[in-house]
Every structure is written in C-alpha cells, then in structure tokens.
C-alpha cells in the first residue's frame, strides 16, 4: 500500500523530474560535443523535443492534482467561502471534462487515423511517431483521472470542514 500511496502523491513529479534531468544532461552533452569536439549529436535535439512534449502533456495531471491550474483568483477571493467552494468544483469539473473530451481525438492522432503515425518514424532517432503521439492520450487520461480524484478530495475536505465547524458550534452552545 505504501507504493500505491507514493505513486498517488508523486508519480507525475518523478516522471517530470526524470524527463527534465534527461533533457538537461543531453543538452549539456550536445553543447560539449558541438563546441569542444566539433562533432554534434544528430539525435539530441529531437530527443530533447520529445522530453519537453512529454513533460508538458504529463504535467496536466500534476497541475490538476496539486490544484495549480491556471486561474485568476483576484475576483474569486471577494466571494464567500461557499461561493469559492462552488466555483472551485465547477472549475475542476470543467478541466476534467476538457481532458475527457480530448482523449478520443488524441487517441485517433496517436493511432494514425489523421497523419499515419503508425507508419512514420522520427527523422533522427528513427522511432515510430506513435511513441511521440502517445503522450497526448496519456496526458489526457491522467488529467481526467486526477480531475476526478481532485473533485472527490475537494468534496471530502469540504464535508470534513463542515462537520468540524458544526461540532465546534455544538460545543459552544
């Protein structure tokens, strides 16, 4: 169970850290190879681009899970806690629906129905393009899962706080 809890809390962070470390190392090696040995790596730019694209798509689930989605809360803080809670749930539901809607089109792109990704290979590394395009459905599936999880956790937290405030009011009376 400890492994599942760790994966729940840190899966995206671990993957994103690995991708960032790989990207930084390969770019540093590329700079050294190009400027000091005058022999650049042919695959480094493509590899770094793939790491970057994967990190962007997988960060969707991380941002939803950690409640770090883009939002303008300057107006939201003016409302009561109840209205803030409702707006928070609505934004999480909308983000989850958005991710869920995009699973199928991204799956079609990955499977090659739009661009023939199953038969194309990348120019430098000669990897099937389906590997690159698989990041979109993976990111949207993870975003949908994390969105549902975030909605449930937010509702549970709200109900727990409501129960605690009712107990405090009962003790004061």
């Amino acid at each position: 169970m400890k492994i599942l809890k760790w994966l729940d809390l840190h899966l995206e962070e671990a993957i994103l850290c690995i991708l960032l470390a790989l990207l930084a190392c390969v770019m540093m090696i590329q700079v050294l190879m190009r400027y000091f040995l005058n022999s650049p790596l042919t695959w480094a730019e493509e590899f770094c681009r793939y790491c970057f694209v994967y990190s962007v798509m997988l960060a969707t689930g991380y941002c939803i899970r950690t409640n770090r989605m883009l939002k303008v809360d300057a107006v939201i803080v003016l409302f009561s806690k109840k209205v803030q809670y409702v707006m928070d749930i609505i934004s999480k539901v909308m983000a989850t629906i958005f991710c869920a809607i995009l699973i199928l089109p991204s799956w079609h792109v990955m499977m090659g129905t739009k661009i023939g990704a199953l038969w194309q290979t990348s120019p430098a590394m000669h990897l099937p393009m389906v590997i690159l395009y698989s990041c979109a459905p993976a990111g949207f599936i993870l975003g949908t899962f994390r969105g549902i999880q975030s909605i449930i956790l937010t509702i549970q937290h709200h109900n727990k706080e409501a129960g605690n405030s009712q107990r405090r009011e009962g003790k004061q009376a």
Side-chain angles (χ1 to χ4, degrees), residues 20-37 41 44 47-48:
L20 181 62
L22 285 172
L23 194 145
C25 289
V26 169
M27 286 307 292
M28 185 174 60
I29 292 169
Q30 171 69 345
V31 168
L32 294 174
M33 293 293 290
R34 178 175 301 225
Y35 291 108
F36 294 115
L37 301 177
L41 301 172
F47 177 81
C48 291

Side-chain angles (χ1 to χ4, degrees), residues 84-99:
Q84 288 180 21
Y85 167 72
V86 170
M87 293 175 87
D88 186 35
I89 292 293
I90 289 171
S91 71
K92 288 178 180 180
V93 167
M94 289 174 58
T96 304
I97 290 171
F98 178 77
C99 286

Side-chain angles (χ1 to χ4, degrees), residues 24-64:
C25 289
V26 169
M27 286 307 292
M28 185 174 60
I29 292 169
Q30 171 69 345
V31 168
L32 294 174
M33 293 293 290
R34 178 175 301 225
Y35 291 108
F36 294 115
L37 301 177
N38 202 21
S39 178
L41 301 172
T42 58
W43 53 270
E45 182 182 344
E46 188 173 288
F47 177 81
C48 291
R49 187 179 320 123
Y50 289 2
C51 285
F52 181 73
V53 170
Y54 261 91
S55 66
V56 167
M57 292 307 301
L58 296 179
T60 304
Y62 175 75
C63 290
I64 291 172

Side-chain angles (χ1 to χ4, degrees), residues 7-137:
L7 285 174
D8 178 46
L9 295 175
H10 302 291
L11 173 68
E12 294 94 345
E13 286 176 343
I15 294 171
L16 292 171
C17 286
I18 290 168
L19 289 172
L20 181 62
L22 285 172
L23 194 145
C25 289
V26 169
M27 286 307 292
M28 185 174 60
I29 292 169
Q30 171 69 345
V31 168
L32 294 174
M33 293 293 290
R34 178 175 301 225
Y35 291 108
F36 294 115
L37 301 177
N38 202 21
S39 178
L41 301 172
T42 58
W43 53 270
E45 182 182 344
E46 188 173 288
F47 177 81
C48 291
R49 187 179 320 123
Y50 289 2
C51 285
F52 181 73
V53 170
Y54 261 91
S55 66
V56 167
M57 292 307 301
L58 296 179
T60 304
Y62 175 75
C63 290
I64 291 172
R65 172 76 169 106
T66 58
N67 202 20
R68 294 183 179 168
M69 295 180 293
L70 286 176
K71 57 186 171 184
V72 179
D73 58 358
V75 176
I76 295 172
V77 296
L78 300 174
F79 293 107
S80 68
K81 292 288 184 192
K82 208 176 252 189
V83 174
Q84 288 180 21
Y85 167 72
V86 170
M87 293 175 87
D88 186 35
I89 292 293
I90 289 171
S91 71
K92 288 178 180 180
V93 167
M94 289 174 58
T96 304
I97 290 171
F98 178 77
C99 286
I101 288 172
L102 289 177
I103 292 172
L104 191 59
S106 64
W107 184 265
H108 287 304
V109 169
M110 181 188 78
M111 295 309 292
T113 56
K114 303 270 189 222
I115 57 167
L118 287 176
W119 300 279
Q120 288 182 347
T121 58
S122 63
M125 297 191 311
H126 303 291
L127 292 173
M129 290 301 289
V130 72
I131 292 173
L132 174 63
Y133 292 120
S134 66
C135 69

